[in-house]
Amino acid sequence: MQIDKNMQEMFSNFILQRVKEDKMEEAKALLAENFKKQDEGTFTKEDVEQFVPKMLDYLKPEKIEEIRTIAKQFSINF
């Protein structure tokens, strides 16, 4: 699944606005790792399934349900 850089940047900005301040570096690293796999064409449904729980740990509590809903939709479309 190939996603263009603009979409990656929009997704990254969207997620990072919802991340706890003290988890920002971990979230950026996780996003970068997944974007690299997307760019290489090696990003799988399993990567999505691993990404979501990790990222949920980094989110502000009040933003978790919003991201969970979006992630579920993305996973279905993937």
Side-chain angles (χ1 to χ4, degrees), residues 27-59:
K28 286 179 182 178
L30 183 58
L31 286 164
E33 176 185 331
N34 281 282
F35 291 154
K36 182 176 186 255
K37 288 181 180 182
Q38 289 174 9
D39 292 344
E40 294 170 347
T42 61
F43 192 67
T44 65
K45 186 173 183 180
E46 289 76 31
D47 290 317
V48 173
E49 291 167 354
Q50 291 175 16
F51 170 84
V52 173
K54 288 179 186 176
M55 190 55 75
L56 289 177
D57 286 342
Y58 303 153
L59 295 174

PDB file of all heavy atoms in Angstrom, residues 27-59:
ATOM      1  N   ALA A  27       6.506   8.585  19.783  1.00  0.00           N
ATOM      2  CA  ALA A  27       5.475   8.622  18.745  1.00  0.00           C
ATOM      3  C   ALA A  27       6.089   8.959  17.386  1.00  0.00           C
ATOM      4  O   ALA A  27       5.759   8.328  16.373  1.00  0.00           O
ATOM      5  CB  ALA A  27       4.390   9.628  19.115  1.00  0.00           C
ATOM      6  N   LYS A  28       6.983   9.922  17.347  1.00  0.00           N
ATOM      7  CA  LYS A  28       7.643  10.286  16.089  1.00  0.00           C
ATOM      8  C   LYS A  28       8.432   9.110  15.532  1.00  0.00           C
ATOM      9  O   LYS A  28       8.403   8.848  14.327  1.00  0.00           O
ATOM     10  CB  LYS A  28       8.576  11.485  16.301  1.00  0.00           C
ATOM     11  CG  LYS A  28       7.840  12.791  16.467  1.00  0.00           C
ATOM     12  CD  LYS A  28       8.822  13.930  16.693  1.00  0.00           C
ATOM     13  CE  LYS A  28       8.118  15.246  16.916  1.00  0.00           C
ATOM     14  NZ  LYS A  28       9.062  16.351  17.183  1.00  0.00           N
ATOM     15  N   ALA A  29       9.132   8.383  16.399  1.00  0.00           N
ATOM     16  CA  ALA A  29       9.925   7.231  15.960  1.00  0.00           C
ATOM     17  C   ALA A  29       9.011   6.131  15.406  1.00  0.00           C
ATOM     18  O   ALA A  29       9.321   5.520  14.372  1.00  0.00           O
ATOM     19  CB  ALA A  29      10.765   6.701  17.112  1.00  0.00           C
ATOM     20  N   LEU A  30       7.902   5.881  16.066  1.00  0.00           N
ATOM     21  CA  LEU A  30       6.962   4.862  15.611  1.00  0.00           C
ATOM     22  C   LEU A  30       6.368   5.240  14.257  1.00  0.00           C
ATOM     23  O   LEU A  30       6.275   4.407  13.349  1.00  0.00           O
ATOM     24  CB  LEU A  30       5.864   4.667  16.657  1.00  0.00           C
ATOM     25  CG  LEU A  30       4.833   3.585  16.369  1.00  0.00           C
ATOM     26  CD1 LEU A  30       5.475   2.223  16.198  1.00  0.00           C
ATOM     27  CD2 LEU A  30       3.804   3.548  17.497  1.00  0.00           C
ATOM     28  N   LEU A  31       5.984   6.488  14.110  1.00  0.00           N
ATOM     29  CA  LEU A  31       5.460   6.955  12.828  1.00  0.00           C
ATOM     30  C   LEU A  31       6.512   6.823  11.729  1.00  0.00           C
ATOM     31  O   LEU A  31       6.223   6.328  10.636  1.00  0.00           O
ATOM     32  CB  LEU A  31       4.987   8.405  12.936  1.00  0.00           C
ATOM     33  CG  LEU A  31       3.682   8.611  13.699  1.00  0.00           C
ATOM     34  CD1 LEU A  31       3.514  10.080  14.079  1.00  0.00           C
ATOM     35  CD2 LEU A  31       2.487   8.133  12.891  1.00  0.00           C
ATOM     36  N   ALA A  32       7.738   7.239  12.020  1.00  0.00           N
ATOM     37  CA  ALA A  32       8.811   7.167  11.023  1.00  0.00           C
ATOM     38  C   ALA A  32       9.059   5.731  10.586  1.00  0.00           C
ATOM     39  O   ALA A  32       9.250   5.454   9.392  1.00  0.00           O
ATOM     40  CB  ALA A  32      10.092   7.784  11.592  1.00  0.00           C
ATOM     41  N   GLU A  33       9.044   4.807  11.537  1.00  0.00           N
ATOM     42  CA  GLU A  33       9.255   3.394  11.226  1.00  0.00           C
ATOM     43  C   GLU A  33       8.159   2.878  10.287  1.00  0.00           C
ATOM     44  O   GLU A  33       8.434   2.194   9.298  1.00  0.00           O
ATOM     45  CB  GLU A  33       9.251   2.588  12.526  1.00  0.00           C
ATOM     46  CG  GLU A  33       9.356   1.093  12.352  1.00  0.00           C
ATOM     47  CD  GLU A  33       9.214   0.365  13.677  1.00  0.00           C
ATOM     48  OE1 GLU A  33       9.560   0.918  14.732  1.00  0.00           O
ATOM     49  OE2 GLU A  33       8.733  -0.784  13.638  1.00  0.00           O
ATOM     50  N   ASN A  34       6.921   3.227  10.587  1.00  0.00           N
ATOM     51  CA  ASN A  34       5.815   2.770   9.751  1.00  0.00           C
ATOM     52  C   ASN A  34       5.821   3.440   8.378  1.00  0.00           C
ATOM     53  O   ASN A  34       5.530   2.796   7.375  1.00  0.00           O
ATOM     54  CB  ASN A  34       4.485   2.982  10.474  1.00  0.00           C
ATOM     55  CG  ASN A  34       4.236   1.900  11.498  1.00  0.00           C
ATOM     56  OD1 ASN A  34       3.850   0.796  11.160  1.00  0.00           O
ATOM     57  ND2 ASN A  34       4.490   2.197  12.759  1.00  0.00           N
ATOM     58  N   PHE A  35       6.165   4.712   8.317  1.00  0.00           N
ATOM     59  CA  PHE A  35       6.237   5.398   7.027  1.00  0.00           C
ATOM     60  C   PHE A  35       7.350   4.797   6.167  1.00  0.00           C
ATOM     61  O   PHE A  35       7.199   4.675   4.950  1.00  0.00           O
ATOM     62  CB  PHE A  35       6.462   6.900   7.206  1.00  0.00           C
ATOM     63  CG  PHE A  35       5.274   7.623   7.791  1.00  0.00           C
ATOM     64  CD1 PHE A  35       5.447   8.794   8.496  1.00  0.00           C
ATOM     65  CD2 PHE A  35       3.986   7.145   7.632  1.00  0.00           C
ATOM     66  CE1 PHE A  35       4.370   9.474   9.032  1.00  0.00           C
ATOM     67  CE2 PHE A  35       2.887   7.816   8.164  1.00  0.00           C
ATOM     68  CZ  PHE A  35       3.087   8.991   8.865  1.00  0.00           C
ATOM     69  N   LYS A  36       8.451   4.413   6.789  1.00  0.00           N
ATOM     70  CA  LYS A  36       9.546   3.785   6.049  1.00  0.00           C
ATOM     71  C   LYS A  36       9.058   2.487   5.412  1.00  0.00           C
ATOM     72  O   LYS A  36       9.320   2.221   4.235  1.00  0.00           O
ATOM     73  CB  LYS A  36      10.730   3.518   6.980  1.00  0.00           C
ATOM     74  CG  LYS A  36      11.925   2.913   6.294  1.00  0.00           C
ATOM     75  CD  LYS A  36      13.088   2.778   7.267  1.00  0.00           C
ATOM     76  CE  LYS A  36      14.323   2.305   6.546  1.00  0.00           C
ATOM     77  NZ  LYS A  36      14.635   0.920   6.802  1.00  0.00           N
ATOM     78  N   LYS A  37       8.324   1.687   6.172  1.00  0.00           N
ATOM     79  CA  LYS A  37       7.775   0.439   5.633  1.00  0.00           C
ATOM     80  C   LYS A  37       6.795   0.725   4.501  1.00  0.00           C
ATOM     81  O   LYS A  37       6.773   0.005   3.504  1.00  0.00           O
ATOM     82  CB  LYS A  37       7.088  -0.369   6.739  1.00  0.00           C
ATOM     83  CG  LYS A  37       8.059  -0.994   7.718  1.00  0.00           C
ATOM     84  CD  LYS A  37       7.307  -1.788   8.765  1.00  0.00           C
ATOM     85  CE  LYS A  37       8.263  -2.424   9.754  1.00  0.00           C
ATOM     86  NZ  LYS A  37       7.527  -3.244  10.743  1.00  0.00           N
ATOM     87  N   GLN A  38       5.984   1.770   4.656  1.00  0.00           N
ATOM     88  CA  GLN A  38       5.055   2.138   3.589  1.00  0.00           C
ATOM     89  C   GLN A  38       5.817   2.506   2.325  1.00  0.00           C
ATOM     90  O   GLN A  38       5.466   2.073   1.228  1.00  0.00           O
ATOM     91  CB  GLN A  38       4.162   3.294   4.027  1.00  0.00           C
ATOM     92  CG  GLN A  38       3.138   2.907   5.069  1.00  0.00           C
ATOM     93  CD  GLN A  38       2.364   4.106   5.601  1.00  0.00           C
ATOM     94  OE1 GLN A  38       2.463   5.210   5.082  1.00  0.00           O
ATOM     95  NE2 GLN A  38       1.596   3.879   6.651  1.00  0.00           N
ATOM     96  N   ASP A  39       6.869   3.305   2.490  1.00  0.00           N
ATOM     97  CA  ASP A  39       7.673   3.738   1.339  1.00  0.00           C
ATOM     98  C   ASP A  39       8.334   2.557   0.642  1.00  0.00           C
ATOM     99  O   ASP A  39       8.499   2.559  -0.574  1.00  0.00           O
ATOM    100  CB  ASP A  39       8.740   4.743   1.779  1.00  0.00           C
ATOM    101  CG  ASP A  39       8.156   6.067   2.236  1.00  0.00           C
ATOM    102  OD1 ASP A  39       6.964   6.344   1.945  1.00  0.00           O
ATOM    103  OD2 ASP A  39       8.882   6.824   2.914  1.00  0.00           O
ATOM    104  N   GLU A  40       8.725   1.550   1.421  1.00  0.00           N
ATOM    105  CA  GLU A  40       9.393   0.368   0.871  1.00  0.00           C
ATOM    106  C   GLU A  40       8.398  -0.654   0.323  1.00  0.00           C
ATOM    107  O   GLU A  40       8.793  -1.628  -0.297  1.00  0.00           O
ATOM    108  CB  GLU A  40      10.243  -0.302   1.956  1.00  0.00           C
ATOM    109  CG  GLU A  40      11.405   0.550   2.418  1.00  0.00           C
ATOM    110  CD  GLU A  40      12.093   0.005   3.658  1.00  0.00           C
ATOM    111  OE1 GLU A  40      11.538  -0.898   4.329  1.00  0.00           O
ATOM    112  OE2 GLU A  40      13.203   0.483   3.957  1.00  0.00           O
ATOM    113  N   GLY A  41       7.104  -0.422   0.606  1.00  0.00           N
ATOM    114  CA  GLY A  41       6.091  -1.359   0.155  1.00  0.00           C
ATOM    115  C   GLY A  41       5.994  -2.616   1.010  1.00  0.00           C
ATOM    116  O   GLY A  41       5.454  -3.626   0.577  1.00  0.00           O
ATOM    117  N   THR A  42       6.514  -2.545   2.237  1.00  0.00           N
ATOM    118  CA  THR A  42       6.513  -3.720   3.124  1.00  0.00           C
ATOM    119  C   THR A  42       5.547  -3.570   4.289  1.00  0.00           C
ATOM    120  O   THR A  42       5.546  -4.394   5.201  1.00  0.00           O
ATOM    121  CB  THR A  42       7.927  -3.987   3.670  1.00  0.00           C
ATOM    122  OG1 THR A  42       8.369  -2.848   4.427  1.00  0.00           O
ATOM    123  CG2 THR A  42       8.917  -4.264   2.553  1.00  0.00           C
ATOM    124  N   PHE A  43       4.739  -2.528   4.281  1.00  0.00           N
ATOM    125  CA  PHE A  43       3.788  -2.257   5.365  1.00  0.00           C
ATOM    126  C   PHE A  43       2.609  -3.212   5.235  1.00  0.00           C
ATOM    127  O   PHE A  43       1.982  -3.306   4.184  1.00  0.00           O
ATOM    128  CB  PHE A  43       3.321  -0.799   5.267  1.00  0.00           C
ATOM    129  CG  PHE A  43       2.576  -0.304   6.463  1.00  0.00           C
ATOM    130  CD1 PHE A  43       3.199  -0.141   7.687  1.00  0.00           C
ATOM    131  CD2 PHE A  43       1.233   0.026   6.372  1.00  0.00           C
ATOM    132  CE1 PHE A  43       2.514   0.335   8.791  1.00  0.00           C
ATOM    133  CE2 PHE A  43       0.530   0.515   7.469  1.00  0.00           C
ATOM    134  CZ  PHE A  43       1.179   0.661   8.675  1.00  0.00           C
ATOM    135  N   THR A  44       2.308  -3.938   6.320  1.00  0.00           N
ATOM    136  CA  THR A  44       1.277  -4.971   6.285  1.00  0.00           C
ATOM    137  C   THR A  44       0.159  -4.674   7.283  1.00  0.00           C
ATOM    138  O   THR A  44       0.290  -3.782   8.132  1.00  0.00           O
ATOM    139  CB  THR A  44       1.880  -6.334   6.647  1.00  0.00           C
ATOM    140  OG1 THR A  44       2.330  -6.291   8.013  1.00  0.00           O
ATOM    141  CG2 THR A  44       3.038  -6.701   5.723  1.00  0.00           C
ATOM    142  N   LYS A  45      -0.892  -5.462   7.196  1.00  0.00           N
ATOM    143  CA  LYS A  45      -1.982  -5.348   8.166  1.00  0.00           C
ATOM    144  C   LYS A  45      -1.463  -5.623   9.573  1.00  0.00           C
ATOM    145  O   LYS A  45      -1.911  -5.000  10.535  1.00  0.00           O
ATOM    146  CB  LYS A  45      -3.131  -6.295   7.808  1.00  0.00           C
ATOM    147  CG  LYS A  45      -4.322  -6.108   8.704  1.00  0.00           C
ATOM    148  CD  LYS A  45      -5.524  -6.892   8.274  1.00  0.00           C
ATOM    149  CE  LYS A  45      -6.673  -6.554   9.218  1.00  0.00           C
ATOM    150  NZ  LYS A  45      -7.880  -7.250   8.913  1.00  0.00           N
ATOM    151  N   GLU A  46      -0.510  -6.533   9.702  1.00  0.00           N
ATOM    152  CA  GLU A  46       0.088  -6.825  11.002  1.00  0.00           C
ATOM    153  C   GLU A  46       0.799  -5.589  11.572  1.00  0.00           C
ATOM    154  O   GLU A  46       0.769  -5.352  12.776  1.00  0.00           O
ATOM    155  CB  GLU A  46       1.066  -8.001  10.908  1.00  0.00           C
ATOM    156  CG  GLU A  46       0.393  -9.336  10.694  1.00  0.00           C
ATOM    157  CD  GLU A  46      -0.101  -9.562   9.266  1.00  0.00           C
ATOM    158  OE1 GLU A  46       0.507  -9.039   8.303  1.00  0.00           O
ATOM    159  OE2 GLU A  46      -1.134 -10.241   9.116  1.00  0.00           O
ATOM    160  N   ASP A  47       1.429  -4.816  10.694  1.00  0.00           N
ATOM    161  CA  ASP A  47       2.066  -3.568  11.137  1.00  0.00           C
ATOM    162  C   ASP A  47       1.023  -2.612  11.700  1.00  0.00           C
ATOM    163  O   ASP A  47       1.247  -1.969  12.721  1.00  0.00           O
ATOM    164  CB  ASP A  47       2.826  -2.897   9.983  1.00  0.00           C
ATOM    165  CG  ASP A  47       4.064  -3.671   9.577  1.00  0.00           C
ATOM    166  OD1 ASP A  47       4.798  -4.134  10.467  1.00  0.00           O
ATOM    167  OD2 ASP A  47       4.281  -3.808   8.362  1.00  0.00           O
ATOM    168  N   VAL A  48      -0.123  -2.531  11.040  1.00  0.00           N
ATOM    169  CA  VAL A  48      -1.218  -1.681  11.528  1.00  0.00           C
ATOM    170  C   VAL A  48      -1.650  -2.169  12.908  1.00  0.00           C
ATOM    171  O   VAL A  48      -1.822  -1.380  13.839  1.00  0.00           O
ATOM    172  CB  VAL A  48      -2.422  -1.691  10.550  1.00  0.00           C
ATOM    173  CG1 VAL A  48      -3.605  -0.947  11.146  1.00  0.00           C
ATOM    174  CG2 VAL A  48      -2.043  -1.108   9.207  1.00  0.00           C
ATOM    175  N   GLU A  49      -1.814  -3.488  13.025  1.00  0.00           N
ATOM    176  CA  GLU A  49      -2.285  -4.072  14.282  1.00  0.00           C
ATOM    177  C   GLU A  49      -1.293  -3.878  15.421  1.00  0.00           C
ATOM    178  O   GLU A  49      -1.679  -3.803  16.581  1.00  0.00           O
ATOM    179  CB  GLU A  49      -2.610  -5.551  14.078  1.00  0.00           C
ATOM    180  CG  GLU A  49      -3.834  -5.741  13.188  1.00  0.00           C
ATOM    181  CD  GLU A  49      -4.028  -7.164  12.704  1.00  0.00           C
ATOM    182  OE1 GLU A  49      -3.163  -8.033  12.953  1.00  0.00           O
ATOM    183  OE2 GLU A  49      -5.065  -7.414  12.064  1.00  0.00           O
ATOM    184  N   GLN A  50      -0.007  -3.785  15.119  1.00  0.00           N
ATOM    185  CA  GLN A  50       1.003  -3.519  16.140  1.00  0.00           C
ATOM    186  C   GLN A  50       1.110  -2.021  16.440  1.00  0.00           C
ATOM    187  O   GLN A  50       1.381  -1.622  17.574  1.00  0.00           O
ATOM    188  CB  GLN A  50       2.368  -4.053  15.699  1.00  0.00           C
ATOM    189  CG  GLN A  50       2.429  -5.561  15.660  1.00  0.00           C
ATOM    190  CD  GLN A  50       3.744  -6.076  15.114  1.00  0.00           C
ATOM    191  OE1 GLN A  50       4.729  -5.343  15.030  1.00  0.00           O
ATOM    192  NE2 GLN A  50       3.764  -7.345  14.741  1.00  0.00           N
ATOM    193  N   PHE A  51       0.924  -1.212  15.414  1.00  0.00           N
ATOM    194  CA  PHE A  51       1.035   0.237  15.551  1.00  0.00           C
ATOM    195  C   PHE A  51      -0.015   0.792  16.514  1.00  0.00           C
ATOM    196  O   PHE A  51       0.288   1.612  17.377  1.00  0.00           O
ATOM    197  CB  PHE A  51       0.874   0.888  14.167  1.00  0.00           C
ATOM    198  CG  PHE A  51       0.742   2.376  14.182  1.00  0.00           C
ATOM    199  CD1 PHE A  51       1.862   3.183  14.226  1.00  0.00           C
ATOM    200  CD2 PHE A  51      -0.505   2.984  14.134  1.00  0.00           C
ATOM    201  CE1 PHE A  51       1.746   4.570  14.235  1.00  0.00           C
ATOM    202  CE2 PHE A  51      -0.640   4.362  14.137  1.00  0.00           C
ATOM    203  CZ  PHE A  51       0.497   5.153  14.194  1.00  0.00           C
ATOM    204  N   VAL A  52      -1.255   0.336  16.339  1.00  0.00           N
ATOM    205  CA  VAL A  52      -2.368   0.924  17.079  1.00  0.00           C
ATOM    206  C   VAL A  52      -2.183   0.838  18.595  1.00  0.00           C
ATOM    207  O   VAL A  52      -2.235   1.870  19.273  1.00  0.00           O
ATOM    208  CB  VAL A  52      -3.725   0.338  16.624  1.00  0.00           C
ATOM    209  CG1 VAL A  52      -4.848   0.816  17.512  1.00  0.00           C
ATOM    210  CG2 VAL A  52      -3.988   0.719  15.166  1.00  0.00           C
ATOM    211  N   PRO A  53      -1.931  -0.347  19.176  1.00  0.00           N
ATOM    212  CA  PRO A  53      -1.791  -0.386  20.642  1.00  0.00           C
ATOM    213  C   PRO A  53      -0.615   0.447  21.149  1.00  0.00           C
ATOM    214  O   PRO A  53      -0.716   1.093  22.189  1.00  0.00           O
ATOM    215  CB  PRO A  53      -1.592  -1.859  20.970  1.00  0.00           C
ATOM    216  CG  PRO A  53      -1.787  -2.617  19.727  1.00  0.00           C
ATOM    217  CD  PRO A  53      -1.867  -1.665  18.576  1.00  0.00           C
ATOM    218  N   LYS A  54       0.486   0.444  20.398  1.00  0.00           N
ATOM    219  CA  LYS A  54       1.640   1.256  20.807  1.00  0.00           C
ATOM    220  C   LYS A  54       1.282   2.735  20.817  1.00  0.00           C
ATOM    221  O   LYS A  54       1.569   3.456  21.765  1.00  0.00           O
ATOM    222  CB  LYS A  54       2.830   1.018  19.867  1.00  0.00           C
ATOM    223  CG  LYS A  54       3.491  -0.320  20.029  1.00  0.00           C
ATOM    224  CD  LYS A  54       4.634  -0.452  19.042  1.00  0.00           C
ATOM    225  CE  LYS A  54       5.248  -1.826  19.060  1.00  0.00           C
ATOM    226  NZ  LYS A  54       6.292  -1.979  18.029  1.00  0.00           N
ATOM    227  N   MET A  55       0.647   3.186  19.735  1.00  0.00           N
ATOM    228  CA  MET A  55       0.328   4.596  19.631  1.00  0.00           C
ATOM    229  C   MET A  55      -0.717   5.002  20.664  1.00  0.00           C
ATOM    230  O   MET A  55      -0.646   6.106  21.209  1.00  0.00           O
ATOM    231  CB  MET A  55      -0.163   4.927  18.212  1.00  0.00           C
ATOM    232  CG  MET A  55      -0.284   6.413  17.955  1.00  0.00           C
ATOM    233  SD  MET A  55       1.215   7.395  18.270  1.00  0.00           S
ATOM    234  CE  MET A  55       2.213   6.978  16.862  1.00  0.00           C
ATOM    235  N   LEU A  56      -1.649   4.122  20.962  1.00  0.00           N
ATOM    236  CA  LEU A  56      -2.664   4.445  21.968  1.00  0.00           C
ATOM    237  C   LEU A  56      -2.019   4.747  23.319  1.00  0.00           C
ATOM    238  O   LEU A  56      -2.503   5.605  24.057  1.00  0.00           O
ATOM    239  CB  LEU A  56      -3.685   3.310  22.098  1.00  0.00           C
ATOM    240  CG  LEU A  56      -4.644   3.134  20.922  1.00  0.00           C
ATOM    241  CD1 LEU A  56      -5.543   1.927  21.141  1.00  0.00           C
ATOM    242  CD2 LEU A  56      -5.464   4.375  20.659  1.00  0.00           C
ATOM    243  N   ASP A  57      -0.916   4.077  23.627  1.00  0.00           N
ATOM    244  CA  ASP A  57      -0.197   4.343  24.878  1.00  0.00           C
ATOM    245  C   ASP A  57       0.390   5.753  24.916  1.00  0.00           C
ATOM    246  O   ASP A  57       0.619   6.303  25.990  1.00  0.00           O
ATOM    247  CB  ASP A  57       0.945   3.339  25.072  1.00  0.00           C
ATOM    248  CG  ASP A  57       0.449   1.961  25.469  1.00  0.00           C
ATOM    249  OD1 ASP A  57      -0.705   1.831  25.918  1.00  0.00           O
ATOM    250  OD2 ASP A  57       1.238   1.011  25.328  1.00  0.00           O
ATOM    251  N   TYR A  58       0.655   6.316  23.760  1.00  0.00           N
ATOM    252  CA  TYR A  58       1.283   7.638  23.677  1.00  0.00           C
ATOM    253  C   TYR A  58       0.276   8.788  23.652  1.00  0.00           C
ATOM    254  O   TYR A  58       0.646   9.946  23.811  1.00  0.00           O
ATOM    255  CB  TYR A  58       2.154   7.738  22.422  1.00  0.00           C
ATOM    256  CG  TYR A  58       3.234   6.695  22.306  1.00  0.00           C
ATOM    257  CD1 TYR A  58       3.703   6.293  21.067  1.00  0.00           C
ATOM    258  CD2 TYR A  58       3.796   6.094  23.426  1.00  0.00           C
ATOM    259  CE1 TYR A  58       4.700   5.343  20.941  1.00  0.00           C
ATOM    260  CE2 TYR A  58       4.785   5.140  23.305  1.00  0.00           C
ATOM    261  CZ  TYR A  58       5.235   4.771  22.054  1.00  0.00           C
ATOM    262  OH  TYR A  58       6.223   3.826  21.936  1.00  0.00           O
ATOM    263  N   LEU A  59      -0.990   8.471  23.440  1.00  0.00           N
ATOM    264  CA  LEU A  59      -1.998   9.511  23.262  1.00  0.00           C
ATOM    265  C   LEU A  59      -2.498  10.098  24.575  1.00  0.00           C
ATOM    266  O   LEU A  59      -2.511   9.421  25.604  1.00  0.00           O
ATOM    267  CB  LEU A  59      -3.204   8.941  22.515  1.00  0.00           C
ATOM    268  CG  LEU A  59      -2.966   8.501  21.084  1.00  0.00           C
ATOM    269  CD1 LEU A  59      -4.208   7.834  20.536  1.00  0.00           C
ATOM    270  CD2 LEU A  59      -2.552   9.667  20.204  1.00  0.00           C
TER     271      LEU A  59
END
